[in-house]
Amino acid sequence: PFLDRWPYGPVALVTPFNFPLEIPVLQLMGALYMGNKPVIKPSEPTSLVMEQFIRLLIDCGMDPVDVDFLNCRGPVAQELIVQTPVRLTQFTGSSRVGELLCEATRGKVKVEDAGFDWKVLGPDVADIDYVAWQCDQDAYALSGQKCSAQSIMFVHENYEKAGLLEKIKENASKRNLADLSVGPVLTHTTKGFLEHTNKLASIPGAKVLFGGKELENHNIPERYGAVEPTAVYVPLEEMVKEEYFEDCVSELFAPFQVVTTYNDDTLDTVLFALEGMSHHLTAAVVSNDVNFQTKVLANTVNGTTYAGRRARTTGAPQNHWFGPAGDPRGAGIGTPEAIQMVWSCHREIIHDSIVPEGWTQPKAT
């Protein structure tokens, strides 16, 4: 047989605001590499970035007809996708919009949607300054506006006793507008952020570990968020209760994380919570204990899980698959496998040409 990958032809890309060059470029070039004709609809607030990139491609020799650029709001883009022969749409953005687009296209969507990304710190405490720094980076770099940002952290009591939470608090307190280590939150207002923070802090036994306040001396417009890096502690036994769980694992695309603690006896409760979450994009198991790693990895599934003392939810120094697991619509970026899987279909040609000499018709079956 002759096996190959075959392009879909007309395809669409709906891309996010938070990485206005990297994510759209990875997706666009993958679509082109596989022989498709893409139309790209970037996020409206940052669409100028991709417009300029496409102009750069044309200046470098790309035929202008190879890519169509659509600068519009979501409903207009959906109408184009539904009413034209677009065969596949890759969508990166909120789960709510992804589900609407999936319904409108009758499932012809690959999603690289929101992530509520977890980190579990194991019992083997070491390199605590490094671990604290990485936790701060994962949760609060880029003001938490990354789909791979650390959204919830399960801290073994050994790390808590070693003072990890105080170190994370100290690192977070150094973030400020002057050096842009904090900045505006584009998808939540300050009011909405604080309402969510206070709602979680009202759970029995919960408390704000740090943050939970509006930034001081800022001129960020009210339509955006201006908030300090925030962590809310919620007791594990309360978090897993039905009346609180969904609030605790709802993504806030902002410098915010939920923190809880556990011990050896409650690890199974942690695993129950991890698999109860609806999105499985990235995760981290911070431990060099092979037995601990094995138990967590064997009972959880994510698109990318980092394991080891240096484990993080985001920003690994090597290229790797980046996309969700557990959803048949899941898309990926970052690897040749991701490009082929998203932007082409399997095609197989079976050659069967020669009728044997002296053939006679067999009995019907």
Side-chain angles (χ1 to χ4, degrees):
F2 173 76
L3 312 176
D4 67 358
R5 302 295 296 181
W6 195 251
Y8 290 104
V11 296
L13 299 84
V14 181
T15 63
F17 75 90
N18 55 334
F19 288 89
L21 184 65
E22 179 188 17
I23 290 178
V25 168
L26 284 170
Q27 295 173 343
L28 175 65
M29 300 312 292
L32 289 170
Y33 291 157
M34 294 308 296
N36 297 285
K37 168 62 186 292
V39 54
I40 183 167
K41 187 271 175 195
S43 178
E44 303 97 276
T46 56
S47 60
L48 181 62
V49 177
M50 276 309 290
E51 179 187 327
Q52 291 301 304
F53 181 78
I54 291 173
R55 290 181 184 275
L56 175 63
L57 291 179
I58 294 171
D59 192 60
C60 291
M62 184 185 77
D63 191 325
V65 304
D66 286 348
V67 177
D68 291 326
F69 180 80
L70 187 62
N71 190 0
C72 65
R73 295 192 176 276
V76 177
Q78 179 173 307
E79 186 174 352
L80 179 139
I81 290 168
V82 171
Q83 296 189 10
T84 62
V86 168
R87 292 177 179 169
L88 174 73
T89 300
Q90 182 172 25
F91 172 81
T92 304
S94 74
S95 298
R96 181 186 65 82
V97 176
E99 292 296 337
L100 291 173
L101 190 58
C102 189
E103 291 179 13
T105 62
R106 298 183 180 180
K108 294 187 291 184
V109 175
K110 288 286 189 178
V111 293
E112 197 269 292
D113 59 354
F116 188 85
D117 307 299
W118 53 259
K119 176 180 285 183
V120 176
L121 281 70
D124 49 322
V125 176
D127 304 300
I128 191 167
D129 288 334
Y130 179 89
V131 172
W133 169 79
Q134 188 65 68
C135 289
D136 173 77
Q137 282 290 108
D138 284 353
Y140 304 126
L142 303 180
S143 292
Q145 295 173 102
K146 302 174 291 181
C147 51
S148 58
Q150 176 180 306
S151 301
I152 190 167
M153 181 169 62
F154 297 82
V155 181
H156 193 279
E157 63 179 1
N158 293 350
Y159 266 108
E160 181 187 21
K161 293 173 182 176
L164 176 74
L165 297 179
E166 288 76 12
K167 289 179 178 291
I168 296 175
K169 178 180 179 179
E170 180 183 358
N171 286 334
S173 69
K174 297 174 183 177
R175 294 183 173 273
N176 59 82
L177 283 170
D179 63 6
L180 298 181
S181 52
V182 294
V185 175
L186 270 65
T187 52
H188 299 283
T189 64
T190 300
K191 180 182 177 182
F193 178 96
L194 297 179
E195 286 176 351
H196 183 73
T197 300
N198 293 332
K199 185 176 185 180
L200 294 188
S202 68
I203 295 172
K207 60 183 177 181
V208 176
L209 292 177
F210 54 83
K213 301 176 183 176
E214 184 173 355
L215 291 172
E216 296 180 353
N217 302 318
H218 73 85
N219 57 2
I220 297 171
E222 287 188 5
R223 63 178 295 184
Y224 303 122
V227 291
E228 296 180 357
T230 298
V232 175
Y233 169 81
V234 180
L236 180 61
E237 64 272 16
E238 297 294 332
M239 176 191 300
V240 296
K241 290 181 178 178
E242 185 176 353
E243 59 264 39
Y244 302 130
F245 187 71
E246 286 304 316
D247 287 333
C248 289
V249 298
S250 295
E251 184 183 29
L252 198 62
F253 214 54
F256 179 88
Q257 65 175 323
V258 174
V259 176
T260 193
T261 55
Y262 74 100
N263 56 36
D264 294 342
D265 295 332
T266 54
L267 177 57
D268 286 341
T269 304
V270 172
L271 297 175
F272 172 80
L274 299 182
E275 283 304 281
M277 299 173 194
S278 60
H279 297 92
H280 302 277
L281 185 59
T282 68
V285 183
V286 182
S287 175
N288 284 352
D289 182 327
V290 175
N291 290 330
F292 180 84
Q293 283 187 11
T294 300
K295 180 162 185 176
V296 177
L297 295 174
N299 289 280
T300 59
V301 176
N302 293 277
T304 304
T305 304
Y306 306 83
R309 186 67 39 71
R310 296 183 62 193
R312 73 290 305 276
T313 64
T314 187
Q318 64 269 58
N319 289 331
H320 59 79
W321 165 274
F322 186 81
D327 188 334
R329 304 166 302 174
I333 57 176
T335 64
E337 177 194 23
I339 293 172
Q340 292 183 35
M341 187 196 80
V342 173
W343 296 117
S344 66
C345 59
H346 181 82
R347 177 177 185 248
E348 191 163 325
I349 298 173
I350 307 298
H351 289 281
D352 196 3
S353 305
I354 307 300
V355 177
E357 200 172 319
W359 177 86
T360 59
Q361 181 172 325
K363 183 180 179 180
T365 60

